[in-house]
Amino acid sequence: MERRCELCNALLKGTKGNHPSSCISKYTLVRTEYMCWLNHASVIKQYCAQSIGGLNIRGERKQQVIKLFKRIGEGDLEQVLNQFSSHERSEIIEFSVIELRRKIVSSLSQLSAPVRPKLVEIDIPTDITPEMASLLSEFKTLLTRRFEILIDKGHSRSPNYVYRSMIKPISFCQFLTQEGFVAWGQIGKTQLASYLDQKGTRLSNCLKRFIKYAETRKNPFKKAPQTKRKRGGSALIETPRPQIVSPNELTSFIKALKNTLPQEEYLFAWFVCKLGLTVKKTNDLTLADININESGRCVIKPAEVWVALPKEIEKTVVLLADMQNPLWRNLEPSVLIHFKLFAGVIESLNGYTSRVFQGKTKILRSSAIYAMMEMGHLDRVTLKKTIGVSMPTLAKLERLFSVDVHRKLDPEFIKLRNAHILGEKDES
Ligand SMILES: [Zn+2]
């Protein structure tokens, strides 16, 4: 099969039967003598070629993205960006190499052109009984609305958000239909258990949310009022005891990581194992989530409040931020949101987590939160505002204490502790 470079049309030959798609591919052995964008005098063309070389998407989306880069490379940057749809702008930002991303984002902020990821569509299959199909379609509407609200509020969500969240619920309803069930009222623990058993899978959060919605018809993302909270979850969902390691074990694990990992990889691990952020949250941190406070210290906002960091951690954060965009201190959050702190640092998130966390990511994060609770950062609201940990997760971890310490805590003690972990108050 003959393959040509998508940028310069050079005829390519690859190693042992591979058919590389561009001059940039690491499998390309021989190319006919064309001037590829990779070696072009225009830096924009070079960046486009580098970006295409690093694409980790396939199929139609990849072809669309390559077309966008060709338009960027061949035209005037501002003009092309102006012609792009808000969705195309979002795609080009996501897949550009860092140098090109800086140029694009700064042009976009001057054009004040909107950037918005386009949702990946998912249809409700026809082999599902009508009552469950309409339940699924209501749930999909709810997810879509949530996606739009989150994006409007400046949060980042993958365009696959609704698609991914619907896969398990759809599969569960297909299973139930095949088993002869027609209405949700007939569904209980037995059906859920045999579904999970047949699929050889565990109960995912996506499915949990759908079940909650099906049972209550209420928005599963909305927090129930504190007083009415039940401890054990809903009728269908039982909450297992969370697994953790002791704070001492956690500390020595973190120390070992510090001695073996490069500082930027250690920083990622620190956010999960010490600060108790999820891997996703850590990976999604952008330069808009960091700031320099009045005392000149770099602070971070993983959830709702700014948090001060230990000096050496702070140093690495500043180093990474400078690497992503040296002008970050003077840029608006609307610009900074397009620069992820860990972009280009962690090559493959799955590879990193399995190498560093050895499949124990959840345990490590829970242990970090548990350790904070044990140290006295116990008040739920503070933990939620500081690291964004959910109330159900906190409630589960609280069950590990033999006494419900949450209720016994002296309010003055909480205030003192809050002052200790909150960046703003730290310095005053
Ligand atoms: Zn080429």
Side-chain angles (χ1 to χ4, degrees):
M1 194 175 73
E2 215 181 75
R3 285 295 288 267
R4 288 180 180 275
C5 174
E6 276 140 340
L7 295 173
C8 69
N9 210 33
L11 191 59
L12 306 169
K13 281 198 182 120
T15 50
K16 299 173 210 152
N18 293 317
H19 295 288
S21 59
S22 68
C23 299
I24 302 111
S25 164
K26 62 181 171 188
Y27 300 111
T28 303
L29 279 188
V30 184
R31 61 182 76 80
T32 48
E33 290 305 311
Y34 282 74
M35 171 67 116
C36 194
W37 282 16
L38 194 59
N39 309 312
H40 201 278
S42 146
V43 281
I44 299 276
K45 279 199 170 73
Q46 288 177 24
Y47 294 154
C48 288
Q50 290 162 10
S51 306
I52 291 175
L55 284 180
N56 55 359
I57 44 170
R58 288 156 178 273
E60 191 172 339
R61 188 170 178 205
K62 181 175 181 182
Q63 293 314 314
Q64 294 297 335
V65 169
I66 290 176
K67 274 185 203 152
L68 297 181
F69 277 114
K70 285 195 89 163
R71 283 170 67 187
I72 292 272
E74 281 162 359
D76 170 74
L77 184 64
E78 289 209 351
Q79 227 169 37
V80 177
L81 287 174
N82 221 353
Q83 290 159 357
F84 275 3
S85 68
S86 59
H87 163 230
E88 288 169 333
R89 291 184 198 117
S90 155
E91 291 282 277
I92 206 83
I93 290 174
E94 178 164 0
F95 294 109
S96 289
V97 290
I98 184 75
E99 296 84 355
L100 183 57
R101 189 178 310 151
R102 280 185 207 138
K103 281 186 186 295
I104 289 175
V105 170
S106 100
S107 299
L108 282 175
S109 71
Q110 290 189 351
L111 295 168
S112 54
V115 178
R116 183 189 259 274
K118 187 177 144 200
L119 266 181
V120 175
E121 262 302 316
I122 183 163
D123 293 325
I124 313 290
T126 48
D127 59 350
I128 292 177
T129 173
E131 189 186 312
M132 289 187 204
S134 76
L135 195 61
L136 283 168
S137 115
E138 283 168 33
F139 188 60
K140 184 178 140 184
T141 310
L142 188 135
L143 288 170
T144 310
R145 208 165 48 218
R146 179 171 161 84
F147 174 83
E148 277 159 7
I149 291 171
L150 287 170
I151 296 293
D152 287 343
K153 280 187 180 169
H155 297 276
S156 76
R157 280 296 182 279
S158 152
N160 282 318
Y161 176 72
V162 172
Y163 183 90
R164 276 203 308 246
S165 310
M166 288 296 292
I167 290 176
K168 285 276 169 76
I170 285 178
S171 149
F172 185 42
C173 289
Q174 276 172 324
F175 169 84
L176 294 170
T177 306
Q178 279 160 22
E179 297 283 297
F181 295 98
V182 289
W184 186 262
Q186 304 169 291
I187 311 307
K189 278 180 190 171
T190 324
Q191 286 75 37
L192 178 62
S194 61
Y195 167 76
L196 295 175
D197 194 45
Q198 197 202 64
K199 301 281 169 190
T201 173
R202 280 184 301 176
L203 182 57
S204 66
N205 279 331
C206 298
L207 188 52
K208 244 187 232 177
R209 278 195 202 106
F210 172 69
I211 291 173
K212 249 189 206 165
Y213 176 73
E215 285 185 341
T216 62
R217 295 300 176 107
K218 285 184 190 144
N219 185 342
F221 295 99
K222 262 203 187 117
K223 307 288 179 271
Q226 199 84 36
T227 47
K228 284 184 187 168
R229 183 172 304 285
K230 278 195 295 177
R231 291 222 145 186
S234 75
L236 232 123
I237 302 159
E238 273 179 4
T239 326
R241 239 163 217 277
Q243 279 182 291
I244 59 156
V245 297
S246 77
N248 281 342
E249 261 177 86
L250 185 68
T251 305
S252 46
F253 178 76
I254 296 173
K255 260 191 197 146
L257 290 182
K258 192 181 173 190
N259 293 331
T260 48
L261 295 177
Q263 59 173 341
E264 61 281 1
E265 288 196 6
Y266 172 68
L267 179 68
F268 196 103
W270 189 90
F271 279 137
V272 176
C273 304
K274 187 74 183 180
L275 203 54
L277 305 187
T278 60
V279 165
K280 186 175 183 312
K281 177 73 229 182
T282 307
N283 191 50
D284 287 348
L285 286 172
T286 71
L287 300 195
D289 301 320
I290 64 172
N291 207 350
I292 302 290
N293 72 6
E294 284 171 9
S295 327
R297 294 287 302 270
C298 178
V299 288
I300 188 156
K301 191 171 72 173
E304 294 169 50
V305 294
W306 292 101
V307 185
L309 299 165
K311 281 247 162 71
E312 52 168 340
I313 292 296
E314 184 187 340
K315 232 172 73 187
T316 318
V317 171
V318 171
L319 198 86
L320 284 186
D322 284 342
M323 193 180 91
Q324 303 298 352
N325 195 327
L327 305 173
W328 65 274
R329 291 171 186 80
N330 306 314
L331 294 171
E332 291 298 312
S334 60
V335 173
L336 293 173
I337 199 165
H338 298 297
F339 296 92
K340 282 191 175 181
L341 186 63
F342 286 100
V345 171
I346 310 287
E347 283 294 321
S348 139
L349 200 56
N350 282 340
Y352 172 84
T353 51
S354 58
R355 172 167 54 90
V356 176
F357 301 144
Q358 305 283 327
K360 304 259 187 293
T361 313
K362 215 170 173 179
I363 297 181
L364 289 165
R365 185 203 175 213
S366 300
S367 308
I369 300 167
Y370 180 86
M372 279 192 266
M373 293 166 104
E374 208 193 52
M375 272 171 65
H377 305 311
L378 269 164
D379 136 64
R380 289 180 175 188
V381 178
T382 308
L383 278 168
K384 183 174 183 289
K385 287 193 170 173
T386 311
I387 60 172
V389 56
S390 73
M391 288 297 179
T393 303
L394 285 172
K396 273 185 246 169
L397 285 166
E398 274 178 359
R399 285 164 64 211
L400 296 175
F401 289 94
S402 47
V403 209
D404 188 350
V405 235
H406 177 239
R407 281 157 211 241
K408 290 202 309 193
L409 213 71
D410 180 347
E412 278 308 306
F413 184 55
I414 294 176
K415 267 191 213 157
L416 217 79
R417 281 300 178 182
N418 289 357
H420 173 69
I421 48 173
L422 303 188
E424 293 158 335
K425 292 174 189 166
D426 198 24
E427 317 292 341
S428 59

